[in-house]
Amino acid sequence: MSDSKPAAAPTNKAPAPAAKRPTSSTSLAPLAKYKLVFLGDQSVGKTSIITRFMYDNFDRHYQATIGIDFLSKTMYLEDRTVRLQLWDTAGQERFRSLIPSYIRDSSVAVVVYDVSNRSSFLNTAKWVEDVRAERGNDVVICLVGNKTDLGNDKRQVSTEEGEERATKDGLLFMECSAKAGYNVKSLFRKLATALPGTADAANGNGANANANSANLVDIKLSAAPANIDEAKSCGC
Ligand SMILES: Nc1nc2c(ncn2[C@@H]2O[C@H](COP(=O)(O)OP(=O)(O)OP(=O)(O)O)[C@@H](O)[C@H]2O)c(=O)[nH]1
Ligand SMILES: [Mg+2]
């Protein structure tokens, strides 16, 4: 039995010199960081999408984001590992002046609307305009219709209309439900796939670079089939 092996006797031997230990310079390579900013009207579900992705849970009680929240997550993709820095902005009008500097510093903008609220969809034009004004075409923009769980009777924006709008404006498109956990992981996989190949721009030292590292949370995503979250039932 393996536990019959005698315990190692205490020794006064000095540890092997560091120079003789195996080293791997590649393991010290910095992780590519990408900044993603979440935009959209009040209450469309920006925080809920992020919370579903980070912690796989959902809170049906609305707690408005005050100012800007920051979270970070490491994603293990097939060919590389990336750290996503998620900037969750407040949809409330009174915080609007804070947002441009976060857009300026992000390589991805996620513009969210509520499929049961037509005006939130129409207002995405303004959010996309704000992103283009700060970043031109040097940015990935994804249009996201949230709250698909509400069903067709509550819907005010069809999937086709959302898709059409995204195609016309050169945006990625996805519908999801933070509540049901539908398409949320797929959304982040889509965003990760669309990230620029180099992290240089995203590693810049702009207005957002001084985020408190105490807020960083690394969660390992296990490899999952593309549609794993689509079949998940609502756990709320
Ligand atoms: N039915 C349904 N409700 C949702 C969904 N996502 C969010 N909600 C609810 O919508 C409300 C607003 O969600 P939040 O995630 O706080 O919205 P937000 O966009 O972050 O709002 P601000 O921080 O004010 O900009 C909350 O009551 C959520 O529970 C969803 O997918 N389906
Ligand atoms: Mg919020």
Side-chain angles (χ1 to χ4, degrees):
M1 273 179 51
S2 62
D3 59 358
S4 63
K5 201 173 165 190
T11 168
N12 291 328
K13 259 194 198 165
K20 289 197 177 157
R21 288 187 204 130
T23 57
S24 165
S25 56
T26 51
S27 65
L28 298 173
L31 207 53
K33 290 183 207 141
Y34 296 92
K35 291 175 181 162
L36 286 68
V37 64
F38 284 72
L39 305 167
D41 282 6
Q42 181 175 0
S43 204
V44 293
K46 300 177 292 297
T47 302
S48 300
I49 291 170
I50 292 172
T51 303
R52 172 62 76 187
F53 176 60
M54 293 290 294
Y55 310 115
D56 199 17
N57 63 22
F58 175 77
D59 183 357
R60 66 190 171 82
H61 303 291
Y62 173 46
Q63 267 193 295
T65 302
I66 304 300
I68 312 273
D69 277 343
F70 170 78
L71 290 156
S72 173
K73 177 152 170 159
T74 300
M75 266 186 101
Y76 299 87
L77 305 169
E78 270 115 58
D79 56 339
R80 60 194 168 137
T81 300
V82 293
R83 182 172 292 199
L84 305 183
Q85 299 185 336
L86 310 177
W87 298 92
D88 180 16
T89 68
Q92 280 181 39
E93 196 71 45
R94 63 193 170 118
F95 298 113
R96 292 286 155 92
S97 62
L98 295 174
I99 294 176
S101 67
Y102 292 88
I103 295 176
R104 204 172 302 144
D105 221 25
S106 296
S107 42
V108 177
V110 184
V111 178
V112 184
Y113 64 93
D114 171 350
V115 296
S116 72
N117 176 343
R118 185 150 193 88
S119 84
S120 75
F121 174 68
L122 298 176
N123 286 338
T124 58
K126 186 205 78 66
W127 290 108
V128 170
E129 224 172 79
D130 287 357
V131 176
R132 295 283 185 220
E134 291 296 335
R135 298 293 315 245
N137 290 323
D138 185 25
V139 62
V140 172
I141 306 178
C142 187
L143 185 65
V144 176
N146 185 40
K147 308 196 187 183
T148 58
D149 61 279
L150 291 174
N152 284 341
D153 49 330
K154 292 262 173 63
R155 247 196 205 263
Q156 295 185 359
V157 186
S158 69
T159 306
E160 293 70 32
E161 195 176 356
E163 253 165 6
E164 227 169 78
R165 168 70 209 299
T167 308
K168 184 168 118 317
D169 290 353
L171 319 174
L172 300 175
F173 176 72
M174 186 74 109
E175 279 192 346
C176 71
S177 165
K179 180 174 182 181
Y182 165 71
N183 255 355
V184 174
K185 278 184 192 163
S186 301
L187 165 65
F188 280 86
R189 270 195 293 277
K190 181 178 256 198
L191 296 174
T193 309
L195 290 172
T198 64
D200 292 356
N203 284 333
N205 49 11
N208 307 333
N210 55 358
N212 183 351
S213 58
N215 289 335
L216 299 183
V217 182
D218 284 359
I219 297 173
K220 190 161 187 162
L221 279 182
S222 51
N227 292 326
I228 190 168
D229 50 336
E230 296 182 11
K232 201 159 71 182
S233 61
C234 171
C236 338

